[in-house]
Amino acid sequence: MADNSLAVSLDLGKLTIQDFMREFKAGKVSSKALTENFLALYNQDRESELPLNAFLEIYDDAVSLAEKADEERRQAEVAGTLDKLFEEKPLLGIPFAVKDNISVRGKHLTCSSKILQGYVAPYDATVISRLKSAGAIPLGRCNMDEFAMGSSTEYSIYGPTRNPVDRNCVSGGSSGGSTAAVAANQAVFGLGTETGGSVRLPASYCGIYGLKPTYGVLSRWGVVAYGSSLDQVGLLGRTPGDIGIPLGVLSGVDFYDDTSRDLPFKEELKKLEPLSGESMASLRIAIPRQFAEAKGLNRDVAKVFEQTKDWFSSKGAVLDIVDLPVLDSAIASYYVIALSEAASNLSRFDGVRYGARVDNGTGYDDLYVDTRSAGFGPEVKRRIIIGNYVLSEQFSGTCYKKGMTVRAKIQEEVSRLFENYDLILCPTCPTTAFKLGQKVDDPLEMYLSDLFTTFVNLARIPSLSVPAGRDSDNLPVGIQFAGAMFSDVRILRIAQTWENEHPYCGFPVCNGGAE
């Protein structure tokens, strides 16, 4: 086994999962070397003038777990069982970033909120336990918008996360910490969560791939709830393969989550192959008129979108403009449903069972009010108030019911669309990353960042944000590949076809993108 200084000349931070596993299996690189490389980058970044603030903490057992992985590999080599070991543990020795709302046993879990400061998770979320079983190493917990409520990772008690491409800009949210860590080569891949675009949006802003899987493909057990009928664990990586391999490990029915489902064709994720030329030429792609003509679409984003469409056309795919009027109501429907469910889910934070408590000895009602007033930030309070208003006796029979009716109509029309089309193509976000502080005091403008993403969550379909180019300020532009339910593998294969012609090699350093 090679020593930890590395026996071959490799840039550790930019190794894909397949690259690392090949070199690791051959004994050319160790898990400890990779993990310590990330720790060195993290520590170096903390001392910089404008630190990313992606990781809130690095887990104290990360290096020892890496050493354990190295020892497992060494023993298997001696026993002649390397192939068997890597078949059983396809992510052996790979460190990954964890969003601060996913339970890791014995580690802090705060959702970047005062009300959960000091809370330690008593068990592993299913996605964590499955990654551990596959040999992966939780590297540390990452910053996020408080309780996943935001589009910029500015609503955090730990301060904002900066964009590694331009540190004066936001990283996107709410999974901005995990995204920035992966984009800055501080982790191989990351776990995020999204309710209305919180994986795809930061992926677009930071120039990496971000997958929102089909609802139910990844278990929500052990993930702090925001809007339960919309929430989904998502994956972040620098290549489609860095998402595909973990997706194959993580997907499947979970006893603890009745909404969980298995993923068809997931064996194909072990080695993600691009679609054949014939398959690409047979693609029928829908472009919703409501998105193509959306007001507020940045000129540079529109240009990259046109370039992406031209690339598909060059492969022989057929692209059609389709009319889906119901998409005009997606944002309104999403916020009615999400905020109502958020208000209900967050009612459990009452100062009694766990988390912070503010008790002035004046009774339970005051304990409840004082604890929540001190523990929640302004954006969370705003959403709780709106959600409770929608669910109040006066409005629950109209607003919420109408929101659910619109959602059902979106699901129906999107499902019908996929009877004739393979893909919906649209930008991930109307703009590129904006400056820190630019929208934090304008919640309505912030909410419109989700213009192109919420319909995916409402329809429960999979969607991948693909780094497709840059704007005039060299900021990344993401384009969205959305497919029918359980078409996750095919979307990743289409993205792999794209990646083969537009290789990613560290967006802050390399040009990349469609040009």
Side-chain angles (χ1 to χ4, degrees):
M1 183 69 181
D3 64 27
N4 293 328
S5 62
L6 208 58
V8 293
S9 177
L10 290 169
D11 187 339
L12 281 176
K14 296 176 185 175
L15 288 179
T16 66
I17 291 176
Q18 284 188 325
D19 289 339
F20 173 78
M21 298 310 292
R22 181 182 63 251
E23 303 296 335
F24 184 36
K25 186 176 180 180
K28 295 180 180 179
V29 62
S30 69
S31 176
K32 183 180 180 182
L34 182 63
T35 304
E36 289 185 335
N37 181 73
F38 290 139
L39 290 176
L41 287 171
Y42 165 74
N43 288 323
Q44 179 182 342
D45 180 73
R46 288 176 66 192
E47 302 302 321
S48 66
E49 184 178 349
L50 296 174
L52 284 178
N53 197 27
F55 279 105
L56 300 175
E57 69 170 316
I58 298 292
Y59 295 142
D60 55 9
D61 59 352
V63 173
S64 63
L65 289 173
E67 291 173 338
K68 182 180 178 182
D70 291 337
E71 181 60 20
E72 279 190 77
R73 185 226 161 271
R74 188 193 67 79
Q75 291 181 3
E77 183 176 42
V78 171
T81 57
L82 272 179
D83 289 340
K84 180 181 179 182
L85 174 65
F86 284 94
E87 180 68 26
E88 294 175 350
K89 295 188 174 183
L91 294 170
L92 183 65
I94 295 281
F96 65 94
V98 184
K99 190 175 179 179
D100 190 28
N101 62 345
I102 301 175
S103 299
V104 180
R105 184 178 180 181
K107 309 300 182 185
H108 286 103
L109 169 68
T110 72
C111 295
S112 294
S113 176
K114 279 185 181 179
I115 207 164
L116 278 176
Q117 279 191 303
Y119 178 73
V120 175
Y123 61 92
D124 282 329
T126 296
V127 289
I128 297 296
S129 62
R130 287 181 176 176
L131 285 173
K132 284 182 175 179
S133 295
I137 300 169
L139 183 59
R141 64 185 176 101
C142 291
N143 202 13
M144 59 182 282
D145 284 302
E146 184 181 7
F147 282 100
M149 297 181 186
S151 303
S152 64
T153 312
E154 291 177 285
Y155 301 122
S156 166
I157 59 164
Y158 303 108
T161 294
R162 297 179 181 273
N163 192 313
V165 182
D166 182 342
R167 298 200 179 204
N168 293 308
C169 292
V170 301
S171 61
S174 62
S175 304
S178 300
T179 307
V182 174
N185 301 320
Q186 292 184 13
V188 181
F189 71 95
L191 291 181
T193 64
E194 70 156 77
T195 308
S198 290
V199 166
R200 288 164 289 151
L201 191 66
S204 176
Y205 285 173
C206 294
I208 63 172
Y209 291 85
L211 175 71
K212 181 269 176 202
T214 299
Y215 185 82
V217 163
L218 299 187
S219 170
R220 291 180 293 114
W221 173 258
V223 179
V224 179
Y226 166 15
S228 302
S229 72
L230 300 162
D231 290 347
Q232 182 67 71
V233 176
L235 287 157
L236 296 145
R238 294 188 296 273
T239 68
D242 286 348
I243 288 175
I245 296 172
L247 179 65
V249 167
L250 290 170
S251 61
V253 175
D254 177 21
F255 173 82
Y256 297 107
D257 182 355
D258 288 341
T259 66
S260 60
R261 297 290 182 270
D262 209 352
L263 180 64
F265 311 114
K266 68 180 182 181
E267 287 297 311
E268 296 179 16
L269 296 170
K270 291 180 179 179
K271 187 179 180 182
L272 200 63
E273 297 288 349
L275 283 189
S276 66
E278 183 179 350
S279 295
M280 287 295 294
S282 69
L283 289 177
R284 289 182 58 83
I285 299 172
I287 300 167
R289 186 184 309 278
Q290 287 67 27
F291 294 160
E293 300 174 357
K295 293 181 181 179
L297 183 63
N298 177 280
R299 183 181 301 174
D300 289 334
V301 173
K303 179 180 178 182
V304 172
F305 186 36
E306 289 300 319
Q307 292 168 343
T308 308
K309 290 192 289 185
D310 290 344
W311 179 79
F312 275 105
S313 295
S314 73
K315 299 296 178 186
V318 175
L319 288 82
D320 294 328
I321 299 290
V322 298
D323 201 25
L324 284 175
V326 73
L327 293 183
D328 288 332
S329 302
I331 284 274
S333 173
Y334 165 76
Y335 275 105
V336 165
I337 295 168
L339 271 55
S340 298
E341 294 181 1
S344 176
N345 280 325
L346 267 62
S347 65
R348 71 192 70 181
F349 298 98
D350 54 9
V352 176
R353 285 166 282 193
Y354 49 81
R357 173 184 295 190
V358 178
D359 187 358
N360 296 314
T362 53
Y364 175 72
D365 287 347
D366 286 343
L367 166 67
Y368 183 80
V369 171
D370 292 344
T371 295
R372 290 165 67 84
S373 296
F376 290 137
E379 180 61 21
V380 174
K381 290 176 184 175
R382 183 183 296 124
R383 298 194 185 201
I384 289 173
I385 290 169
I386 296 172
N388 281 328
Y389 182 72
V390 170
L391 292 174
S392 65
E393 184 178 351
Q394 181 180 359
F395 293 103
S396 61
T398 53
C399 289
Y400 186 73
K401 184 177 180 180
K402 183 151 287 190
M404 293 300 286
T405 300
V406 172
R407 176 189 185 150
K409 186 68 173 174
I410 290 173
Q411 286 183 275
E412 178 186 342
E413 292 198 9
V414 169
S415 177
R416 187 181 300 123
L417 179 72
F418 282 124
E419 292 176 4
N420 299 307
Y421 292 94
D422 303 289
L423 211 62
I424 291 176
L425 191 69
C426 64
T428 305
C429 185
T431 67
T432 52
F434 49 88
K435 298 294 184 183
L436 286 160
Q438 182 178 330
K439 299 183 181 182
V440 73
D441 294 322
D442 189 346
L444 289 179
E445 189 176 354
M446 187 81 81
Y447 295 167
L448 290 175
S449 299
D450 300 331
L451 181 64
F452 298 142
T453 56
T454 55
F455 85 96
V456 166
N457 303 77
L458 292 166
R460 297 184 169 179
I461 60 175
S463 180
L464 180 73
S465 181
V466 174
R470 298 162 290 150
D471 71 2
S472 56
D473 294 320
N474 203 39
L475 291 169
V477 175
I479 300 298
Q480 207 172 177
F481 297 179
M485 291 184 72
F486 303 107
S487 65
D488 309 56
V489 175
R490 194 168 196 221
I491 289 174
L492 286 166
R493 291 188 63 193
I494 295 170
Q496 187 61 54
T497 310
W498 168 272
E499 170 70 14
N500 285 355
E501 296 186 23
H502 309 84
Y504 177 92
C505 54
F507 200 101
V509 178
C510 302
N511 289 333
E515 291 194 309

